[in-house]
Amino acid sequence: MTDDGGSETTWLDEDEQRSWRALMMGMTLLLDRLDDDLHRSCNLSLVEYEILVRLSESEGRQLRMAHLADALAHSRSRVTHTISRMERAGLVARSSSPEDGRGVIASMTDRGWDLLERMAPIHVTGVRDNLVDLVSPEDFRALGRVMNAVADHLVAGHPEMEMRRVSGSSDGGRASLRD
């Protein structure tokens, strides 16, 4: 069998297919569960939670909207829509960039910070219960290496999408409430 480009396709073997499908199912179910946990607890989506986390990690708890969209690997229109909803809820505020007046800055409000502080333990518990504590530390580190290889490959052409942070803190990232 050939693909549309005329080159020979290397199809997944049975083990690779099984692993690929397990990854897809596991990621779908995990993200749905984490999203449901946040919705049940405070009517916040996983994407909204991640926006609050990104803002909490940024200087002054603020980011340019374009940078936020890139860091989340979402379209600018999707992030704009989500930020509008969060702004109506009082979790974030938007303003013009003082640097050039053209860019838009999203800033976390005190209400957004308070919500993030309340929700972080719920989210981290969900991550632990549904992923981290189900496997050995070695398997979890291996998963991290695999996903870093994927991220390195996919980010190589789009460095603005880099969202991983290297944290030298001894608090496990709690200073910024990062999961």
Side-chain angles (χ1 to χ4, degrees), residues 98-162:
E99 295 171 4
D100 61 17
R102 291 179 21 236
V104 177
I105 303 291
S107 302
M108 182 189 296
T109 63
D110 289 341
R111 183 175 181 178
W113 177 257
D114 292 343
L115 181 61
L116 182 60
E117 282 188 312
R118 286 194 325 270
M119 296 317 302
I122 292 166
H123 178 69
V124 171
T125 297
V127 171
R128 283 203 158 281
D129 289 350
N130 297 295
L131 177 63
V132 177
D133 294 343
L134 297 178
V135 299
S136 71
E138 295 80 20
D139 283 349
F140 191 66
R141 282 192 297 275
L143 175 62
R145 287 190 302 273
V146 168
M147 296 316 294
N148 272 323
V150 170
D152 289 345
H153 172 75
L154 296 174
V155 167
H158 301 281
E160 70 281 0
M161 294 178 73
E162 178 60 64

Side-chain angles (χ1 to χ4, degrees), residues 83-95:
I83 288 288
S84 294
R85 191 171 55 247
M86 295 174 74
E87 191 172 31
R88 285 190 300 273
L91 304 175
V92 299
R94 282 186 283 193
S95 60

Side-chain angles (χ1 to χ4, degrees), residues 160-172:
E160 70 281 0
M161 294 178 73
E162 178 60 64
M163 63 181 85
R164 296 167 288 180
R165 286 180 12 127
V166 176
S167 174
S169 69
S170 61
D171 68 355

Side-chain angles (χ1 to χ4, degrees), residues 47-55 68 72 82-83 86:
V47 171
E48 292 165 331
Y49 177 83
E50 189 61 26
I51 287 172
L52 292 177
V53 168
R54 300 281 180 209
L55 292 174
L68 184 59
L72 294 168
T82 304
I83 288 288
M86 295 174 74

Side-chain angles (χ1 to χ4, degrees), residues 9-80:
T9 300
T10 305
W11 297 101
L12 300 179
D13 65 28
E14 194 173 319
D15 287 339
E16 291 167 333
Q17 186 68 252
R18 190 175 7 265
S19 293
W20 168 247
R21 289 181 180 179
L23 172 66
M24 294 302 297
M25 182 176 184
M27 286 301 303
T28 298
L29 293 172
L30 176 62
L31 294 176
D32 285 349
R33 172 60 59 89
L34 297 175
D35 190 67
D36 288 347
D37 289 348
L38 292 169
H39 271 290
R40 275 194 309 275
S41 299
C42 69
N43 199 30
L44 190 73
S45 73
L46 186 57
V47 171
E48 292 165 331
Y49 177 83
E50 189 61 26
I51 287 172
L52 292 177
V53 168
R54 300 281 180 209
L55 292 174
S56 78
E57 294 174 338
S58 301
E59 187 177 337
R61 295 187 202 158
Q62 61 184 15
L63 280 172
R64 288 180 76 102
M65 293 280 291
H67 182 72
L68 184 59
D70 289 342
L72 294 168
H74 292 312
S75 71
R76 291 180 183 189
S77 62
R78 179 178 180 192
V79 171
T80 297

